[in-house]
Amino acid sequence: MLLSDSKISSIIKNAKAPVDIKYRVYSDNYILYFKADTLDKYSALKILCAIVQKIQIFLLSEFKILVRGGITSGEFYADERIVFGEGLIKAVTLEAKHAQNPRIIVDTDIF
């Protein structure tokens, strides 16, 4: 995870998203987040999926790591020490219930 940190940061910065996408490392997870109310949900999903796709390709090509996860919306808080909130719980639950094989699950709430 530490070896990939600068590259993942670069992928996010180079996405030229019209929102300030931030990320945190939580256990063995990367959490990407931004205020979803600044865009319509379709635009937000498109931007996030493009970034996640590039991260997946990087981790697979460099480290032979297949990833899984969840994309959802909800209240979320993060600082340098902690992350918590409904959005985090929903994403982790999506991953645990529906992404047993490597894949990214998109919550139906997004649509």
Side-chain angles (χ1 to χ4, degrees):
M1 299 275 294
L2 293 175
L3 293 172
S4 62
D5 190 57
S6 64
K7 178 64 176 179
I8 288 175
S9 177
S10 174
I11 289 170
I12 293 168
K13 287 177 186 170
N14 292 333
K16 297 179 183 164
V19 293
D20 183 23
I21 297 175
K22 299 179 181 179
Y23 80 98
R24 295 287 180 267
V25 177
Y26 168 75
S27 181
D28 63 344
N29 300 289
Y30 279 99
I31 301 168
L32 282 68
Y33 62 98
F34 60 90
K35 289 188 178 186
D37 62 349
T38 59
L39 292 173
D40 66 83
K41 288 185 178 184
Y42 177 73
S43 295
L45 180 62
K46 233 169 89 171
I47 291 165
L48 200 53
C49 286
I51 291 170
V52 169
Q53 175 189 26
K54 289 178 182 177
I55 291 170
Q56 286 178 304
I57 290 168
F58 165 69
L59 290 174
L60 182 59
S61 64
E62 291 295 316
F63 302 105
K64 309 295 186 262
I65 295 173
L66 295 169
V67 297
R68 59 189 192 129
I71 296 176
T72 190
S73 63
E75 294 289 320
F76 177 76
Y77 175 82
D79 66 16
E80 293 76 31
R81 298 175 297 131
I82 59 172
V83 294
F84 67 89
E86 173 200 12
L88 175 62
I89 293 168
K90 285 171 63 178
V92 169
T93 301
L94 274 175
E95 177 190 12
K97 285 187 176 180
H98 304 290
Q100 289 80 22
N101 298 314
R103 67 184 79 203
I104 306 297
I105 303 296
V106 179
D107 193 349
T108 56
D109 290 350
I110 297 296
F111 302 101

